Amino acid sequence: MGIFAKLSGGTTPNSTRLIGIALMLAAMGLFAFGDALGKLVVASYSVGQLLLLRAAAGLIVLSPLIWRQRAAFTSLERPWLQAARIGVATLEVAAFFLATRYLPLADVITYYLASSLFVTVGSALFLGERIGRARLIAILAGFGGVVIALQPSAETVSWPALIALVASVAFAALLLITRSLRQTPDMVLASQQFVGTFALGAVLVPSGWTTPSVPDLSLFAIAGAVSALGLLCVNRSLRIAPASVVVPFQYSMIIWGVVFGYLIFGDWPTPTMWAGMSIIIAAGLAIIAIEQRERRAAGEAAQR
């Protein structure tokens, strides 16, 4: 909060939260667009190649800012946690795009949205943020939505769906760790994620390289560029506002997932997926409403 006030010239707590929410909303739109491009290219190229070229494009876009802030890379807080974050971020991206290779984009995003439920629980366990009974009920309802969307049985649970859930858990861990590293500059956090995915892509790509055409190469580049912008928005959002406030707004991503999935791939969610999706979104909105109510109550108590 103090750091952001210095950078922005000073803001009120409410306006800072609103800025954090706006940044998260912008990030979700960028991620959905980048994910649609990623799903488009993994139909013809390996996941390793996508990770490599996407990360390379992202690092190229960020390179002027990386050079300008190069001094920040020399002294990092809690290096072990930084390393863990790189590993978690790499796992999350790889699992997500692997799942999109076999599932509709909106389906993968639906499973992915469960990460906000994991974050709300994790923020209480690891960051000391309060959950409360009403929020716990909303979390349990959200998990019910995940179960409905997943339709767990020996016949319906698929490896791609489970991979998407792994990506969801990894993304939740990434958000929590990012929240814990508030002193680390946004550029350092964003570039670390691309370095991790670039390294994994370099390891995987020798076994599945296909020389891309110029149009496809441009898709890789655009995917990397919009992902870089999205990462900067997410990292700044988590630095200036509580995770339990801004993370539920990632539900807006499902709207773009349905739109891009239908326009680009002709995919449309099944009735069961719509039902699960609706419950997950309702649970997220309930968490937001509960948080706002608690904040108002705290403000009124402070004025007495």
Side-chain angles (χ1 to χ4, degrees):
M1 184 67 188
I3 293 176
F4 182 74
K6 293 178 181 178
L7 293 175
S8 62
T11 58
T12 65
N14 285 338
S15 64
T16 298
R17 288 171 181 255
L18 289 176
I19 292 171
I21 290 170
L23 287 170
M24 184 62 74
L25 289 172
M28 293 304 105
L30 291 168
F31 283 149
F33 180 55
D35 292 342
L37 294 179
K39 177 176 173 59
L40 192 62
V41 298
V42 294
S44 304
Y45 301 91
S46 68
V47 173
Q49 190 166 349
L50 170 62
L51 296 178
L52 180 71
L53 296 180
R54 173 180 174 273
L59 288 171
I60 290 172
V61 170
L62 294 177
S63 58
L65 297 175
I66 294 174
W67 176 255
R68 185 181 306 171
Q69 300 182 30
R70 60 190 182 278
F73 290 82
T74 59
S75 57
L76 299 177
E77 58 172 326
R78 291 178 283 183
W80 65 271
L81 193 56
Q82 303 274 356
R85 184 180 180 278
I86 294 174
V88 169
T90 303
L91 171 63
E92 174 258 318
V93 173
F96 181 88
F97 283 116
L98 182 59
T100 61
R101 191 167 190 171
Y102 304 100
L103 294 174
L105 181 62
D107 289 16
V108 178
I109 291 177
T110 297
Y111 299 131
Y112 205 69
L113 292 182
S115 62
S116 65
L117 307 175
F118 302 140
V119 167
T120 304
V121 175
S123 63
L125 295 177
F126 304 110
L127 302 181
E129 297 180 12
R130 181 177 176 273
I131 290 183
R133 181 180 300 177
R135 192 174 296 173
L136 179 60
I137 293 173
I139 292 171
L140 293 176
F143 281 123
V146 173
V147 172
I148 291 174
L150 186 60
Q151 301 180 66
S153 71
E155 292 77 22
T156 59
V157 172
S158 64
W159 280 112
L162 294 178
I163 291 171
L165 285 177
V166 168
S168 176
V169 174
F171 187 58
L174 173 64
L175 293 174
L176 289 170
I177 295 174
T178 300
R179 180 66 178 162
S180 299
L181 295 173
R182 288 188 291 269
Q183 303 303 317
T184 302
D186 299 340
M187 185 54 54
V188 175
L189 296 172
S191 58
Q192 285 176 344
Q193 290 174 239
F194 281 114
V195 169
T197 54
F198 182 89
L200 179 59
V203 172
L204 297 177
V205 81
S207 61
W209 174 264
T210 301
T211 302
S213 63
V214 174
D216 288 348
L217 192 60
S218 66
L219 293 179
F220 283 114
I222 295 172
V226 298
S227 296
L229 294 175
L231 281 173
L232 290 176
C233 289
V234 167
N235 292 336
R236 177 56 60 89
S237 175
L238 289 166
R239 285 181 62 196
I240 67 176
S244 58
V245 173
V246 298
V247 169
F249 283 91
Q250 69 178 303
Y251 290 120
S252 62
M253 190 176 180
I254 190 58
I255 299 173
W256 292 109
V258 172
V259 170
F260 289 131
Y262 180 73
L263 294 178
I264 300 176
F265 308 104
D267 297 328
W268 192 252
T270 64
T272 303
M273 186 61 67
W274 275 116
M277 184 191 309
S278 300
I279 294 174
I280 294 172
I281 293 174
L285 294 176
I287 291 173
I288 295 170
I290 293 167
E291 196 282 334
Q292 291 176 338
R293 184 186 65 191
E294 291 177 349
R295 189 170 67 247
R296 285 195 300 268
E300 292 173 357
Q303 293 175 357
R304 293 174 185 171

